[in-house]
Amino acid sequence: LELPVEQKILKLVQEIYGGAGVDYSPRAKRMLEQIHANGWEDLPVCIAKTQYSFSDDPQLLGSAEGFTLQIREIIPKTGAGFIVAITGALTTMPGLPKVPAAMHMDVDEQGHAVGLS
């Protein structure tokens, strides 16, 4: 955790995924500057990538080696306590509102679902 964010990402890419290096988009570089400025460097890192490959390229199936991971965006999730590096053309799911709709769902005494509207 004491490594800079860039080194954490590089270590994951090289030692876990089998890649050669990392390339950051201008947007990701700007976020790295904000992470350093706000003192969030000690947060753990999660890499969001395609499920088909250790790379960011879904065409490089399985355990590709020697690739350069393309980091498109870096999002600090300070409430959850980690940093997410988003790769390639990955689409992320939206977060939940403060009170998710599931909190208003239940089953009544007759076994009917309520709160689904």
Side-chain angles (χ1 to χ4, degrees):
L1 292 176
E2 53 280 343
L3 293 175
V5 174
E6 297 90 338
Q7 286 184 356
K8 289 177 199 173
I9 292 172
L10 182 60
K11 194 171 188 80
L12 283 168
V13 169
Q14 291 177 333
E15 295 182 17
I16 305 296
Y17 297 156
V22 180
D23 187 29
Y24 295 94
S25 73
R27 182 176 184 173
K29 288 178 185 177
R30 285 192 303 275
M31 274 314 303
L32 282 170
E33 291 173 8
Q34 288 184 8
I35 288 166
H36 295 303
N38 287 299
W40 299 327
E41 302 94 356
D42 292 338
L43 294 175
V45 172
C46 171
I47 297 179
K49 57 170 202 50
T50 179
Q51 71 269 28
Y52 299 111
S53 172
F54 282 131
S55 76
D56 59 291
D57 182 354
Q59 303 303 313
L60 293 177
L61 299 177
S63 299
E65 292 184 1
F67 58 88
T68 299
L69 192 71
Q70 306 296 317
I71 305 289
R72 174 174 51 98
E73 188 174 3
I74 298 177
I75 303 172
K77 302 288 188 178
T78 57
F82 59 94
I83 294 169
V84 180
I86 300 181
T87 66
L90 187 72
T91 302
T92 58
M93 294 177 60
L96 293 173
K98 279 189 172 184
V99 180
M103 298 300 293
H104 304 288
M105 295 177 194
D106 203 354
V107 177
D108 67 17
E109 292 173 3
Q110 288 78 34
H112 300 108
V114 296
L116 299 179
S117 56

